[in-house]
């Protein structure tokens, strides 16, 4: 690099920092730096879709806010997305709007994150991570599409901390939570095929999750021992809501590591068998609920050793296989939104 | 707060009650709904863990302000 070009690059970097600071001053960030959304960048994203830039994607009537395709593009730029990621984000926003966005849980004290799950060929085409460190940092599509969704919630819908976002704690997954299923290492049909899509269709699914809970079991070859451990992790006392009708409407996104999934499948368990087992064992006995002070009056007539299920049925449990095939580890994500809304899984619309 | 302001807009006289910790989002919601100076009653947080008698105490404490908002006489 010549001295002149080096100086030009330094000046450009200083200018970029000024623009980044400008975005901070405007209150447009999630606390991390954003890419300044100049018109030229936004136009590159809008060119990835045939949808009208003024088409409304989401509405929050009580906040007098709506999100258009253009708003989504601006926030995708800021999140650090590449332009070709934009169709994924648009379909994720479609799924979120018809699914769980109108539950008002974005403002809840429970502080839920939006989880995005990607299936199909788009995973390889865009380079999504579906293997190691699936909930961690390091992969641009996962990190930036998940982040773009959060920036839309904060900047466009106006749901920001200390005001309309009333989370008591929130979760670090609120920065970004976008995973791709590890279809290659899964012994079962992929999530989107289970839900009626062809294997060669790329889909995106959105749900809300309250946290991600680590589940370990490396010392067994007995499927039931792993499944009992997963079910217990889905049922911890702090997860159980007692004060509303939600007490029997909990749901869960189970992100099973390939090692667990393959061991269980080798012993003859289908995906539906696993979901049924987890549903049957997600909950606590009446005596346990009493001990935790979470026994609702509705269950007073039950015997003390009755098992009170927390979830309405196997359909309230999502089973995704993701992560590296290198350890007996899974993750469970408690949720209260599976079953709410419609069309939470969408085929990604490409131009 | 959103419900209270929506009722007011429909002509239904309403008294909204917030616990003190929700004043900030409450004020923001009133502002978004076009009621920047919306008058509401504030009670002490929390309420979800209280027993019936404690809830009754909170209600008693809020009552004068609720009656004031509704323009009703205090006893």
């Amino acid at each position: 690099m010549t001295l002149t070009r080096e100086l030009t690059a330094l000046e450009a970097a200083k200018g970029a920092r000024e623009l980044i600071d400008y975005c901070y001053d405007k209150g447009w960030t999630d606390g991390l730096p954003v890419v300044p959304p100049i018109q030229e960048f936004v136009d590159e994203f809008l060119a990835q879709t045939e949808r009208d830039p003024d088409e409304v994607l989401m509405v929050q009537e009580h906040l007098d806010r709506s999100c258009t395709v253009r708003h989504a593009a601006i926030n995708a730029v800021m999140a650090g997305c590449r332009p070709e990621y934009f169709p994924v984000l648009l379909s994720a926003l479609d799924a979120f709007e018809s699914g769980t966005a109108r539950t008002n849980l974005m403002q809840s004290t429970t502080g839920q994150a939006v989880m995005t799950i990607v299936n199909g060929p788009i995973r390889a085409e865009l380079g999504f991570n579906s293997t190691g460190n699936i909930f961690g940092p390091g992969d641009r599509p996962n990190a930036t599409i998940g982040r773009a969704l959060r920036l839309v919630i904060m900047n466009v819908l106006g749901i920001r901390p200390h005001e309309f976002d009333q989370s008591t704690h929130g979760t670090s997954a609120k920065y970004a939570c976008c995973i791709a299923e590890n279809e290659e290492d899964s012994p079962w049909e992929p999530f989107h095929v289970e839900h009626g899509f062809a294997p060669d269709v790329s889909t995106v699914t959105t749900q809300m999750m309250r946290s991600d809970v680590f589940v370990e079991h490396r010392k067994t070859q007995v499927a039931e021992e792993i499944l009992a451990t997963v079910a217990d992790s889905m049922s911890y006392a702090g997860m159980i809501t007692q004060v509303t009708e939600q007490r029997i409407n909990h749901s869960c996104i189970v992100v099973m590591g390939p090692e667990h999934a393959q061991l269980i499948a080798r012993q003859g368990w289908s995906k539906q068998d696993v979901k049924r087992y987890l549903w049957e064992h997600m909950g606590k006995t009446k005596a346990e609920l009493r001990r935790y002070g979470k026994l609702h009056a509705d269950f007073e007539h039950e015997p003390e050793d009755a098992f009170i299920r927390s979830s309405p049925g196997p359909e309230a449990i999502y089973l995704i296989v993701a992560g590296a095939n290198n350890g007996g580890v899974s993750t469970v994500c408690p949720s209260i939104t599976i079953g709410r809304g419609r069309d939470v899984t969408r085929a990604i619309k490409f131009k | 707060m959103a419900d209270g302001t929506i009722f007011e807009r429909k002509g239904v006289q309403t008294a909204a009650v917030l616990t003190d910790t929700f004043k900030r989002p409450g004020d923001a919601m009133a502002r978004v709904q076009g009621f920047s100076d919306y008058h509401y009653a504030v009670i002490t947080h929390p309420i979800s863990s209280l027993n019936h008698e404690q809830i009754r105490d909170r209600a008693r404490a809020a009552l004068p302000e609720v009656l004031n908002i509704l323009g009703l006489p205090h006893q």
Side-chain angles (χ1 to χ4, degrees), chain B residues 4-38:
Chain B
T5 53
I6 290 167
F7 275 129
E8 293 281 4
R9 185 165 283 120
K10 291 181 180 296
V12 179
Q13 201 177 5
T14 306
V17 182
L18 271 65
T19 63
D20 46 20
T21 193
F22 288 108
K23 282 181 67 175
R24 192 167 169 182
D27 288 339
M29 181 60 75
R31 196 168 58 247
V32 165
Q33 293 289 336
F35 290 82
S36 293
D37 299 321
Y38 193 65

Side-chain angles (χ1 to χ4, degrees), chain A residues 5 40-41 47 77 89 91 106 115 146 156 158 169 192 196 222 228 249 277 333:
Chain A
R5 289 188 65 189
E40 185 181 337
F41 296 165
V77 170
L89 177 64
S91 294
M106 285 182 280
M115 185 175 189
V156 186
H169 280 187
H192 67 311
V222 180
N249 282 328
Y277 178 98
C333 305

Side-chain angles (χ1 to χ4, degrees), chain A residues 142-185:
Chain A
N142 304 58
T144 61
I145 292 172
R147 187 187 187 201
L149 222 158
R150 176 54 52 184
L151 288 178
V152 165
I153 292 169
M154 296 175 74
N155 292 335
V156 186
L157 304 182
I159 301 172
R160 301 190 66 86
H162 315 303
E163 199 174 71
F164 290 131
D165 181 338
Q166 300 165 108
S167 305
T168 306
H169 280 187
T171 161
S172 52
K174 286 174 74 174
Y175 278 104
C177 186
C178 176
I179 68 169
E181 184 163 30
N182 186 347
E183 297 175 20
E184 291 70 22
D185 284 329

Side-chain angles (χ1 to χ4, degrees), chain A residues 46-319:
Chain A
L46 292 175
Q48 298 288 322
T49 179
E50 291 174 344
R51 300 173 76 165
D52 187 328
D54 293 325
E55 179 188 341
V56 174
L57 298 169
M58 297 184 68
V59 176
Q60 291 283 293
E61 287 166 2
H62 66 294
L63 298 174
D64 195 26
R65 294 288 187 111
S66 57
C67 174
T68 65
V69 170
R70 180 180 288 103
H71 290 142
I74 292 167
N75 284 275
V77 170
M78 290 201 290
C81 291
R82 291 179 60 84
E84 58 266 34
Y85 302 170
F86 193 44
V88 182
L89 177 64
L90 288 177
S91 294
L93 290 169
D94 289 337
F96 190 35
E97 170 68 356
S98 64
T100 58
R102 299 204 186 198
T103 57
N104 290 341
L105 289 170
M106 285 182 280
Q107 295 179 247
S108 166
T109 51
T110 47
Q112 313 204 15
V114 180
M115 185 175 189
T116 302
I117 304 157
V118 179
N119 278 96
I122 195 71
R123 296 168 306 126
E125 290 164 19
L126 294 183
F128 279 95
N129 179 30
S130 63
T131 61
N133 198 39
I134 187 66
F135 284 100
D139 295 276
R140 188 169 177 178
N142 304 58
T144 61
I145 292 172
R147 187 187 187 201
L149 222 158
R150 176 54 52 184
L151 288 178
V152 165
I153 292 169
M154 296 175 74
N155 292 335
V156 186
L157 304 182
I159 301 172
R160 301 190 66 86
H162 315 303
E163 199 174 71
F164 290 131
D165 181 338
Q166 300 165 108
S167 305
T168 306
H169 280 187
T171 161
S172 52
K174 286 174 74 174
Y175 278 104
C177 186
C178 176
I179 68 169
E181 184 163 30
N182 186 347
E183 297 175 20
E184 291 70 22
D185 284 329
S186 172
W188 300 307
E189 72 274 25
F191 179 84
H192 67 311
V193 174
E194 178 191 353
H195 287 83
F197 294 87
D200 61 351
V201 171
S202 292
T203 64
V204 64
T205 303
T206 64
Q207 275 297 342
M208 302 191 82
M209 58 177 261
R210 299 166 116 184
S211 65
D212 51 309
V213 179
F214 178 76
V215 183
E216 167 150 337
H217 206 324
R218 304 171 193 250
K219 298 287 283 181
T220 183
Q221 295 186 25
V222 180
E224 286 87 346
E225 292 178 357
I226 296 170
L227 290 169
T229 301
V230 173
D232 181 69
S233 306
M234 296 161 68
S235 310
Y236 65 96
M239 179 280 300
I240 295 172
T241 302
Q242 184 254 346
V243 292
T244 72
E245 70 282 357
Q246 274 307 125
R247 64 188 178 275
I248 51 171
N249 282 328
H250 295 88
S251 46
C252 192
I253 302 160
V254 177
V255 181
M256 190 170 279
E259 189 169 311
H260 280 164
Q262 290 173 11
L263 188 153
I264 291 165
R266 276 199 301 273
Q267 294 178 24
W269 292 69
S270 70
K271 195 175 190 183
Q272 294 307 314
D273 292 338
V274 171
K275 289 175 64 168
R276 172 161 285 276
Y277 178 98
L278 294 176
W279 165 61
E280 287 174 345
H281 295 81
M282 179 182 176
K284 292 218 174 283
T285 64
K286 179 181 174 182
E288 288 172 323
L289 290 174
R290 186 190 298 286
R291 177 177 158 230
Y292 292 119
K294 294 200 170 190
L295 180 63
H296 193 275
D298 283 1
F299 302 119
E300 277 299 346
H301 64 285
E302 299 281 351
E304 204 64 13
D305 61 351
F307 188 77
I308 312 293
R309 290 180 184 142
S310 296
S311 142
E315 68 282 358
I317 295 164
Y318 280 2
L319 179 56

